[in-house]
Amino acid sequence: KGLRVRVLERAAEFGEVGAGLQIAPNCTRILDQWGLLDEVTALGVVPENLVMRDAVDGSELTRLDLGDARERYGFPYVVIHRSDLHGTLLRACERAGVDLVTNVAVTAYEQGSDGATVVHAGGREAARVVIAADGLHSVARKLISDDQPVSSAYVAYRGAVPMGQAEQIYISLDDVVVYVGPRSHFVQYSLRGCGVFT
C-alpha cells in the first residue's frame, strides 16, 4: 500500500521461538493475499485429516477431512515449523522495504493529537500509527489497562522426534492427531524432517 514501515525489535536478531504452528484456512487466506501461501505450503505440510482420539484408550472420537475443509473455505490447513514461517515473513518484509531494526527495547509510548511516539534508549520516534506487539509484560498495555497477567496454570511441553524414529511407532504422519483426556491433551503432527509432538 506504499506505507513506510519501521519495526523495532528488542532481540539482537530476528529469529524464531518455539516449534510448530498449525495454520487454519482463515490464516492461509491472508498468506495467499500477501502472495506467501505457495512458499508456506512448500515449507510446511498440508495434512489430510484432523483426528481426535481418546487419550486413555486411543479410540477415535471424531475426524475432520481437511481436504473437504479446503474445498469449503477455499484455502488449506497447514502445519509448519515456526522458524520457516518467520523466515517467510521476514523475507517478505525485506522485499517490501520494511526498515527492520534490532536491539531496541521500547520503554514507553505517548499518544499525541496527530500520531504516537515510541520512547527507547536511543531516543524518541514519532509515527502516524504505532502497533505495539510487545508481549506478556507489555509496556503499551498499561495505557489501556494496568492489570497484571494471570497465570492459567497450564503448561505446554513440546518435543520433536526425527522422522525416521517417528515412522517406527504407530502414528499417522499424514494427519494432525489430538488426544484428549482428563485435564490434559496431546497433539501430534509432522513437519518437514521431523515428527512433532506437543
Side-chain angles (χ1 to χ4, degrees):
K1 299 200 179 262
L3 300 174
R4 290 186 316 147
V5 177
R6 181 172 170 85
V7 175
L8 304 177
E9 169 58 46
R10 182 185 322 192
E13 61 184 21
F14 288 96
E16 60 85 18
V17 176
L21 291 171
Q22 300 175 59
I23 308 175
N26 59 328
C27 295
T28 56
R29 174 183 57 83
I30 294 167
L31 291 170
D32 185 64
Q33 290 172 352
W34 292 347
L36 303 177
L37 184 57
D38 289 342
E39 183 176 350
V40 166
T41 54
L43 294 170
V45 173
V46 179
E48 295 177 8
N49 300 287
L50 179 61
V51 180
M52 187 169 286
R53 293 185 175 276
D54 186 300
V56 176
D57 65 16
S59 63
E60 185 173 312
L61 302 172
T62 190
R63 170 180 296 260
L64 175 65
D65 180 340
L66 293 175
D68 181 57
R70 181 177 189 149
E71 290 297 317
R72 178 179 298 179
Y73 301 113
F75 296 93
Y77 185 101
V78 177
V79 291
I80 188 170
H81 196 282
R82 196 174 299 247
S83 65
D84 291 332
L85 179 61
H86 280 199
T88 298
L89 295 171
L90 186 61
R91 288 186 294 277
C93 286
E94 290 167 344
R95 287 190 302 270
V98 173
D99 187 14
L100 299 165
V101 182
T102 57
N103 258 345
V104 176
V106 173
T107 56
Y109 301 92
E110 297 170 358
Q111 181 67 48
S113 59
D114 60 348
T117 301
V118 175
V119 181
H120 52 77
R124 304 163 63 83
E125 298 187 36
R128 289 176 54 202
V129 175
V130 172
I131 299 172
D134 54 352
L136 182 62
H137 301 284
S138 169
V139 174
R141 182 174 175 82
K142 293 177 184 167
L143 296 172
I144 300 167
S145 173
D146 199 22
D147 62 354
Q148 296 298 314
V150 177
S151 173
S152 67
Y154 289 104
V155 177
Y157 297 96
R158 294 180 178 261
V161 176
M163 195 63 78
Q165 291 178 16
E167 291 169 346
Q168 296 171 16
I169 57 178
Y170 176 71
I171 60 169
S172 172
L173 297 177
D174 297 324
D175 298 332
V176 172
V177 183
V178 181
Y179 295 86
V180 293
R183 299 173 46 115
S184 64
H185 74 277
F186 179 80
V187 181
Q188 167 257 305
Y189 53 90
S190 63
L191 296 173
R192 299 243 182 255
C194 65
V196 172
F197 307 89
T198 300

